[in-house]
Amino acid sequence: MKRYFSTVIITFFIFNCINAQGLLGKKEQVFTRQDSLRGSITKERMWWDVKYYHLDVKVNPSDSTVIGTNAMKYLVLKEYNIMQIDLQHPMEIYKVVQDGVALKYKREGNVFFIELTAPQKIGSTKELTVFFGGKPKVAVNPPWDGGITWKKDSSGNPFIASSCQGLGASVWWPNKDHMYDEVESMLISVNVPKGLMDVSNGRLQSVKEMKDGTKTYNWFVSNPINNYGVNINIGDYVTFSEKYKGEKGDLDCTYYVLRPNMAKAKKQFQDVPRMLKAFEHWFGPYPFYEDSYKLVEAPYLGMEHQSSVTYGNGFQNGYLGRDLSGTGWGLKFDYIIIHESGHEWFANNVTYKDIADMWIHESFTDYSESLFLEYYYGKEAGYTYVRGIRKNIANDKPIIGKYDVNNEGSSDMYYKGANMLHTLRQIVNNDAKWRTILRGLNSTFYHQTVTTKQIEEYLSQNVGIDLNTFFNQYLRDTRIPTLEYFFKDNQLGYRWTNCVSGFNMPLKVTLNGDEELLKPEIEWKSTRSKTENPKLEIDKNFYVAGFNITE
């Protein structure tokens, strides 16, 4: 077994060295001006700060169209007269009005440049209304390849939902479609045909019955919200609710499911208060008490829409009934309820500025699954689960993507990212301190958009170790760091290899039955063994490899 393991490590080492040097012939992705307009803070974006949206739309299932207006208020930061509004083909802007004046605009792909005629004085608050409509992109494989999903339930009623992370909210409504600038509050008005209900973000303010038999549902979001978190869910819903007594008092929890699924939902959704109890323990108070918590059945797997989490996991535990860890522990909870709700803390509360830093959402939230298990079933359950998901790691490309072009990194941001954080916890080696760090992230960056640099600096400062090479290794490199070691004359020699320059992560090992903390570097170091037949075992909770060159 040891000989075989050594061979695998050598092969993996060679492969990763070649891969890291870019010798496998992979073509570099070419980015376009449209990618830059979508992914960067352009001159036409940076001069204004969006404060409020009133998105007012009519959804027509009969012809798959969405038509409406978005009235926006913004604060002028710099004097300028060209505003960038994003709306993707085949949707169209029909008119833009400010101060009663119809404005000129020019379209460039998925971007509209609005020519403002009124003075835009620094410090002033201005309003502008965009009239738009069309047939938004149909979601091909939601939520990964998103848009609008148009389906029907078992009774033939329309069952409609939006999902658009990455692709962008501008796939179905006009807005400032960059994550760095979250709107501070928002009114969402959705008109739907008779017999249907819309569920969106925040709290339901009113339902207005129209003369044509349709209804308009008015939802108000009182907290900052990212654009892709804004959603519509339309169907023949029935509802039930409960109050969760949390760290900030009573939290209203309301559940919306299709009519035939009420009994199944009442049983399955018991994971919600369990989730809230565990995550408030680890991460701090649920970040949106003012807007409530809702879990809404959707015609796709699910998504982390703020205060309106969508659910399509078939009322079963696991990920569509499967355990992603292969350990058995993944069947102890409903993956979509736990994972997507975990995003309320990491995605909706602490939000990336650039999608290249999407790991901030996914690594912490994937890791939260193991914390949920630990809270209810003990530390070894959580540890076993997070180690189990390593089998899904590809090590294909860096976790961090390219900046300013709307490019996300490797899907390893999930499983590898979770194991990176689990490894970091071993370095901290203090459960109370680790919990304080996680809660501190959510309080320090409460309702903020952040960069990887901010998160790295926060963790380095609070862990008490310079983690620069740690993050370079796990976020920006594809190799698994390997402890290379040998025994000679009762001496243990060891060093890090297959790693970035300067990598110096401390490592817990068991040496001859005794736990020790090694501090390897890329240069050889040594320590004396107490026995003639020394044996070294690496703590399996570190995401590293080991290679004994004496065997």
Side-chain angles (χ1 to χ4, degrees):
M1 288 293 288
K2 289 182 180 179
R3 292 283 181 187
Y4 176 75
F5 180 68
S6 298
T7 303
V8 171
I9 290 296
I10 291 170
T11 303
F12 191 84
F13 172 70
I14 294 171
F15 173 82
N16 275 281
C17 285
I18 294 172
N19 188 29
Q21 295 172 25
L23 300 179
L24 293 181
K26 289 186 178 180
K27 293 183 178 179
E28 282 288 323
Q29 184 174 353
V30 177
F31 296 101
T32 67
R33 172 167 163 78
Q34 282 296 303
D35 294 323
S36 296
L37 287 174
R38 172 76 174 84
S40 63
I41 304 174
T42 63
K43 183 179 181 180
E44 292 77 17
R45 281 173 168 161
M46 68 173 58
W47 68 270
W48 58 288
D49 176 16
V50 63
K51 294 295 185 181
Y52 174 81
Y53 289 136
H54 178 196
L55 177 62
D56 187 356
V57 297
K58 181 179 180 68
V59 180
N60 301 297
S62 60
D63 60 3
S64 302
T65 60
V66 175
I67 188 169
T69 61
N70 186 20
M72 58 184 73
K73 295 181 181 179
Y74 61 92
L75 175 66
V76 178
L77 304 177
K78 295 182 179 180
E79 291 188 9
Y80 198 58
N81 70 329
I82 304 296
M83 173 182 286
Q84 177 178 334
I85 297 294
D86 305 279
L87 184 64
Q88 299 177 32
H89 283 291
M91 298 294 284
E92 293 283 352
I93 287 179
Y94 302 131
K95 184 170 61 173
V96 182
V97 175
Q98 184 171 66
D99 299 332
V101 177
L103 304 177
K104 294 181 180 179
Y105 54 87
K106 178 178 67 175
R107 181 167 201 165
E108 183 179 345
N110 294 325
V111 168
F112 289 79
F113 293 107
I114 315 299
E115 298 180 22
L116 305 174
T117 57
Q120 307 292 311
K121 295 183 179 180
I122 295 176
S124 63
T125 299
K126 304 288 290 183
E127 296 186 29
L128 178 143
T129 302
V130 180
F131 296 75
F132 70 100
K135 288 188 175 184
K137 177 183 178 292
V138 175
V140 176
N141 183 29
W144 302 279
D145 188 355
I148 303 294
T149 299
W150 308 87
K151 287 189 175 181
K152 292 190 176 182
D153 64 19
S154 59
S155 300
N157 299 303
F159 191 23
I160 303 163
S162 61
S163 58
C164 52
Q165 185 181 19
L167 177 63
S170 56
V171 72
W172 68 278
W173 61 284
N175 57 79
K176 187 180 188 179
D177 208 0
H178 193 287
M179 298 290 288
Y180 90 99
D181 190 6
E182 291 187 339
V183 69
E184 294 181 7
S185 62
M186 183 171 183
L187 177 62
I188 307 167
S189 301
V190 183
N191 179 262
V192 297
K194 184 178 181 179
L196 299 178
M197 178 188 299
D198 169 71
V199 184
S200 292
N201 316 81
R203 291 184 182 271
L204 184 62
Q205 279 195 333
S206 63
V207 181
K208 185 176 181 180
E209 295 193 21
M210 314 304 285
K211 292 181 179 179
D212 60 0
T214 63
K215 288 184 178 180
T216 298
Y217 289 80
N218 296 296
W219 297 86
F220 183 72
V221 183
S222 62
N223 286 292
I225 184 169
N226 63 63
N227 291 331
Y228 84 79
V230 175
N231 71 342
I232 52 171
N233 302 281
I234 298 168
D236 180 24
Y237 286 121
V238 289
T239 184
F240 62 102
S241 62
E242 62 183 322
K243 288 186 183 294
Y244 173 76
K245 294 189 178 300
E247 290 193 14
K248 292 178 66 175
D250 287 346
L251 172 61
D252 294 320
C253 300
T254 310
Y255 311 107
Y256 297 84
V257 296
L258 295 182
R259 194 168 296 277
N261 296 331
M262 174 68 88
K264 289 185 288 187
K266 283 188 173 181
K267 179 180 179 181
Q268 192 68 14
F269 289 3
Q270 290 177 30
D271 260 1
V272 170
R274 296 178 74 224
M275 171 276 298
L276 289 167
K277 187 175 182 180
F279 288 169
E280 286 208 331
H281 169 82
W282 286 110
F283 304 141
Y286 172 75
F288 307 105
Y289 270 74
E290 301 85 356
D291 290 326
S292 78
Y293 172 93
K294 298 187 295 300
L295 190 63
V296 188
E297 186 175 358
Y300 60 88
L301 185 60
M303 194 71 199
E304 69 260 26
H305 304 108
Q306 184 173 310
S307 73
S308 180
V309 176
T310 47
Y311 176 88
N313 201 38
F315 304 98
Q316 59 190 321
N317 280 0
Y319 179 97
L320 293 172
R322 296 184 290 114
D323 175 8
L324 294 177
S325 75
T327 66
W329 288 111
L331 297 178
K332 293 291 187 180
F333 62 92
D334 189 310
Y335 177 91
I336 293 300
I337 293 176
I338 303 309
H339 180 92
E340 303 304 343
S341 298
H343 277 306
E344 293 282 43
W345 284 264
F346 292 100
N348 298 335
N349 185 37
V350 183
T351 309
Y352 58 70
K353 271 188 166 69
D354 190 301
I355 198 172
D357 291 334
M358 188 173 170
W359 76 272
I360 296 169
H361 294 195
E362 300 301 347
S363 297
F364 282 98
T365 303
D366 224 57
Y367 176 60
S368 76
E369 299 157 23
S370 68
L371 294 178
F372 174 86
L373 286 168
E374 179 176 338
Y375 187 83
Y376 287 103
Y377 303 102
K379 182 181 287 189
E380 189 52 39
Y383 278 27
T384 300
Y385 176 85
V386 75
R387 294 195 305 264
I389 61 175
R390 290 177 185 172
K391 66 188 179 70
N392 303 311
I393 298 173
N395 282 312
D396 55 346
K397 61 180 181 178
I399 286 175
I400 292 181
K402 304 292 185 183
Y403 289 101
D404 298 323
V405 287
N406 198 48
N407 174 250
E408 62 188 65
S410 169
S411 61
D412 278 350
M413 69 181 78
Y414 293 85
Y415 310 113
K416 184 178 180 180
N419 273 278
M420 174 187 72
L421 295 171
H422 185 60
T423 298
L424 183 57
R425 179 180 183 177
Q426 310 316 307
I427 297 171
V428 173
N429 198 29
N430 182 315
D431 291 345
K433 182 177 180 179
W434 182 239
R435 179 185 171 216
T436 298
I437 288 171
L438 294 175
R439 289 174 67 96
L441 276 167
N442 278 278
S443 59
T444 300
F445 301 109
Y446 184 73
H447 290 178
Q448 293 181 34
T449 59
V450 299
T451 64
T452 286
K453 184 175 185 292
Q454 288 176 279
I455 300 301
E456 287 185 13
E457 289 178 347
Y458 170 89
L459 290 172
S460 287
Q461 180 180 352
N462 287 274
V463 171
I465 298 175
D466 184 349
L467 295 170
N468 180 57
T469 58
F470 175 87
F471 287 115
N472 284 343
Q473 182 69 47
Y474 288 105
L475 294 177
R476 301 176 178 89
D477 200 278
T478 60
R479 295 170 293 175
I480 301 176
T482 301
L483 182 75
E484 192 173 64
Y485 64 97
F486 67 88
F487 293 104
K488 184 178 181 181
D489 299 330
N490 289 348
Q491 289 279 341
L492 166 65
Y494 57 93
R495 70 173 181 180
W496 283 121
T497 186
N498 208 34
C499 58
V500 299
S501 176
F503 187 68
N504 60 353
M505 180 178 75
L507 179 67
K508 287 190 284 187
V509 301
T510 300
L511 182 61
N512 305 320
D514 296 326
E515 290 186 1
E516 291 196 19
L517 181 68
L518 298 182
K519 295 184 178 180
E521 297 178 359
I522 59 175
E523 301 296 331
W524 285 105
K525 299 177 74 172
S526 65
T527 187
R528 178 167 290 277
S529 172
K530 299 176 182 178
T531 65
E532 293 183 0
N533 299 302
K535 181 181 180 181
L536 181 144
E537 295 180 0
I538 295 172
D539 188 322
K540 59 187 176 181
N541 291 299
F542 284 75
Y543 181 55
V544 299
F547 175 46
N548 184 350
I549 64 175
T550 57
E551 295 186 342

